[in-house]
Amino acid sequence: STQSTWGADDGIWATADTHHKRRPQNMAISVPRGPIRVAVDQLAATLVSTARDTWFVLDVRPDFEYEGGHVAGCLHIPFDAFPDKTETVLQAAGGKDRIVCVCMNAETHSLDVAEHLLRAAKGTPPIAVLTGGFAAFARVHGTDATLVEDYDFSRWEAVWEAAGVTAPEED
């Protein structure tokens, strides 16, 4: 059996065996609006404010990336578990004002999951993606234990160097 994935509503479905097929014309996909973007500083400010409990953070990175550090209090469900885990996420996020999807840096997986959740939730609550992903968040807040849990500085030091960016100072 092949596992379907999804993308923008371009009518193309991709499957695990890399075959593509067009969505039947009579199958409407209604997305109330696209995912919104949340800046690193906006997420950090929310997480340290009294509004912390109103946002639900979903980390869709693979296990090995998640284990190197993640946004404090997030739910981790890897991208490849979707769409099967859609109801799990929507139930866990019940009553929250916003769901913020986090991937590593390119926002590809988080955007795909966010678009899928938007369709499933019919736009409520608003779904967002973290601009720059966890890489951007960790560059600024990686050593702040109130914002990032299980941060492994040594794991990410080589990533920062390869990307040509300044790593956060190790505490």
Side-chain angles (χ1 to χ4, degrees):
S1 80
T2 59
Q3 181 176 358
S4 295
T5 59
W6 55 89
D9 187 19
D10 57 5
I12 303 289
W13 287 353
T15 58
D17 60 5
T18 69
H19 289 91
H20 293 74
K21 57 188 173 190
R22 288 229 165 252
R23 172 177 40 85
Q25 292 299 317
N26 62 351
M27 178 186 259
I29 294 179
S30 174
V31 178
R33 64 174 195 250
I36 56 178
R37 305 278 178 174
V38 171
V40 165
D41 290 338
Q42 184 182 7
L43 178 59
T46 300
L47 293 177
V48 297
S49 76
T50 56
R52 177 184 188 102
D53 293 333
T54 66
W55 283 21
F56 183 84
V57 180
L58 173 66
D59 192 318
V60 300
R61 296 177 298 149
D63 292 340
F64 71 92
E65 290 178 0
Y66 176 82
E67 291 163 0
H70 47 271
V71 175
C74 73
L75 174 66
H76 175 236
I77 299 180
F79 170 78
D80 59 7
F82 285 87
D84 295 343
K85 293 293 184 176
T86 300
E87 285 305 314
T88 301
V89 170
L90 294 177
Q91 287 176 4
K96 301 291 183 175
D97 292 342
R98 176 170 297 168
I99 298 173
V100 180
C101 299
V102 177
C103 65
M104 191 58 200
N105 53 26
E107 302 168 24
T108 304
H109 289 146
S110 61
L111 187 58
D112 286 347
V113 170
E115 288 174 345
H116 177 73
L117 290 172
L118 268 172
R119 286 190 293 273
K122 297 180 179 45
T124 303
I127 313 290
V129 295
L130 178 62
T131 302
F134 181 76
F137 195 80
R139 271 195 300 276
V140 178
H141 303 290
T143 57
D144 184 340
T146 62
L147 296 173
V148 177
E149 295 173 331
D150 301 326
Y151 186 70
D152 181 351
F153 183 84
S154 63
R155 179 181 293 206
W156 300 113
E157 189 172 29
V159 173
W160 307 136
E161 186 176 316
V165 297
T166 304
E169 295 295 320
E170 183 175 20
D171 286 341

